[in-house]
Amino acid sequence: MLTRINEINRGIAIATGVADDKLPTHDMNSSASPLVNNKGLDARVNPSLEALLGKSKVVDQFPSVMGSEDFHEVFPLIGKVPFAFILVGVVPPPLFAKARTDGPMAPYSNHNPHFFGDLSAIPMNAKVDTVAALSVLAKQK
């Protein structure tokens, strides 16, 4: 796969007139670590999300999946910052249920060729983000 990616990148660069000394190179010298939420932040955020959405709508034990999310790779650059990464559904529930019945575990997830976003989900997503942020900022008892 990497060989083909390099060939395609080089071909595109040559086709668009990139000078020989500016052709793209590929240096595989690292890898991405898994994204793992901070359990303390999850414990603070999840009750508020459950109050907003209902307990059955908050999945806090999402199975591990291979993805291309590198959000967490930024934080070593700026210090150790805890995070709670939240995936919010944007597919109409009947469409998602049908896809799950047909096979794929996360048929419309980010970075997926089948990604589908229902624009009517935006107001609820804004509420989810707001409630999550407020639960983190709230004073602890």
Side-chain angles (χ1 to χ4, degrees), residues 11 30 35 65 74 106 112:
S30 66
L35 185 152
V65 295
V74 169
N112 179 311

Side-chain angles (χ1 to χ4, degrees), residues 52-74:
L52 174 67
L53 303 167
K55 189 167 179 70
S56 67
K57 303 279 190 201
V58 177
V59 179
D60 65 351
Q61 296 300 315
F62 196 80
S64 298
V65 295
M66 289 297 293
S68 61
E69 191 55 62
D70 59 1
F71 153 84
H72 63 295
E73 295 291 341
V74 169

Side-chain angles (χ1 to χ4, degrees), residues 72-123:
H72 63 295
E73 295 291 341
V74 169
F75 292 110
L77 302 176
I78 59 172
K80 195 95 171 140
V81 178
F83 59 85
F85 190 83
I86 300 172
L87 294 174
V88 181
V90 294
V91 176
L95 186 59
F96 184 81
K98 180 179 180 337
R100 286 292 303 273
T101 300
D102 293 346
M105 182 182 69
Y108 301 108
S109 63
N110 295 356
H111 312 294
N112 179 311
H114 304 290
F115 177 77
F116 177 85
D118 181 355
L119 296 180
S120 69
I122 291 173

